[in-house]
């Protein structure tokens, strides 16, 4: 999981730098530098310094996407309390596992919802509807890493199946099972 986190942070750092460069190049051309040229967008007039508000919306969206990923990992990884509480409820029978799982699933929706609402409100304050759209771009900017993480689960599961069908030793199957557990978390 550490390698997957490094990939997410690496793509986020690249976005931070390249988005700043893009905002600088697109909005600091000579016709904007010494004038207060404005244009009309969504009922409000903006001047040339809007580039940094747009950049702020990208950063807020990026932070939102990363936070949602970590909140999802917290609620679905076997290493954290929510999944451990579901496993512990199995001591009393299958019905309590279902009830606990349903409860944890419902509770796990709240923190990402708060993060998304905060993102929408803050980007709306910066650039109105356009800021919210730009935040969505920021959220999806690490999509390549997210898709690679999503693909990890089925690949690890298939590796376990191949190890089992080929009659490899128990130690190989233990490794592929741990990778499959991680794959289930990354799929969520």
């Amino acid at each position: 999981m550490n390698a997957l986190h490094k990939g997410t942070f690496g793509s986020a750092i690249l976005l931070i730098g390249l988005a700043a460069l893009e905002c600088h190049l697109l909005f600091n051309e000579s016709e904007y530098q010494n004038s207060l040229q404005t244009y009309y967008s969504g009922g409000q007039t903006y001047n040339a310094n809007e580039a940094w508000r747009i950049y702020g919306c990208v950063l807020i969206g990026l932070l939102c996407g990363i936070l949602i990923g970590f909140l999802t990992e917290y609620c679905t990884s076997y290493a954290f309390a929510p999944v451990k509480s579901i496993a512990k409820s199995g001591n009393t029978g299958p019905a309590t596992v279902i009830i606990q799982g349903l409860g944890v699933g419902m509770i796990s929706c709240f923190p990402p919802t708060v993060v998304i609402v905060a993102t929408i409100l803050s980007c709306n304050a910066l650039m109105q509807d356009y800021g919210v759209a730009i935040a969505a771009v920021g959220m999806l900017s690490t999509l390549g890493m997210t898709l690679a993480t999503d693909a990890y689960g089925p690949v690890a599961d298939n590796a376990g199946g191949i190890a089992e069908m080929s009659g490899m030793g128990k130690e190989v199957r233990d490794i592929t099972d741990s990778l499959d557990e991680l794959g289930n978390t990354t799929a969520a």
Side-chain angles (χ1 to χ4, degrees):
M1 199 65 180
N2 288 334
L4 299 174
H5 286 302
K6 286 178 187 176
T8 300
F9 286 130
S11 60
I13 289 169
L14 282 174
L15 173 73
I16 289 169
L18 292 175
L21 179 66
E22 182 179 17
C23 286
H24 175 73
L25 292 176
L26 288 177
F27 289 92
N28 285 331
E29 295 177 2
S30 61
E31 68 245 26
Y32 290 111
Q33 286 180 353
N34 295 321
S35 67
L36 292 176
Q37 292 181 0
T38 59
Y39 69 92
Y40 187 77
S41 173
Q44 189 169 353
T45 304
Y46 297 107
N47 61 25
N49 74 1
E50 73 183 343
W52 302 113
R53 288 186 292 191
I54 292 171
Y55 182 66
C57 291
V58 169
L59 294 182
I60 292 168
L62 176 64
L63 180 64
C64 175
I66 291 173
L67 282 175
I68 288 172
F70 282 120
L71 290 170
T72 303
E73 180 186 348
Y74 175 75
C75 292
T76 59
S77 175
Y78 60 88
F80 297 109
V83 173
K84 287 180 180 180
S85 71
I86 296 170
K88 187 177 178 184
S89 69
N91 293 333
T92 57
T96 54
V97 172
I98 293 170
I99 293 168
Q100 182 70 13
L102 186 61
V104 167
M106 289 180 179
I107 290 171
S108 70
C109 295
F110 181 71
T113 302
V114 170
V115 170
I116 290 172
V117 168
T119 299
I120 290 171
L121 292 175
S122 58
C123 290
N124 189 46
L126 282 174
M127 289 291 292
Q128 296 182 342
D129 293 340
Y130 184 68
V132 176
I134 292 297
V137 171
M139 287 173 70
L140 296 175
S141 62
T142 58
L143 186 62
M145 193 61 212
T146 304
L147 290 176
T149 303
D150 289 345
Y152 181 85
V155 169
D157 186 36
N158 289 339
I162 292 169
E164 186 174 349
M165 288 188 292
S166 65
M168 299 184 106
K170 183 182 176 346
E171 66 280 350
V172 173
R173 189 62 188 162
D174 290 341
I175 292 170
T176 58
D177 285 345
S178 67
L179 292 174
D180 188 27
E181 289 173 2
L182 179 61
N184 293 334
T185 298
T186 61

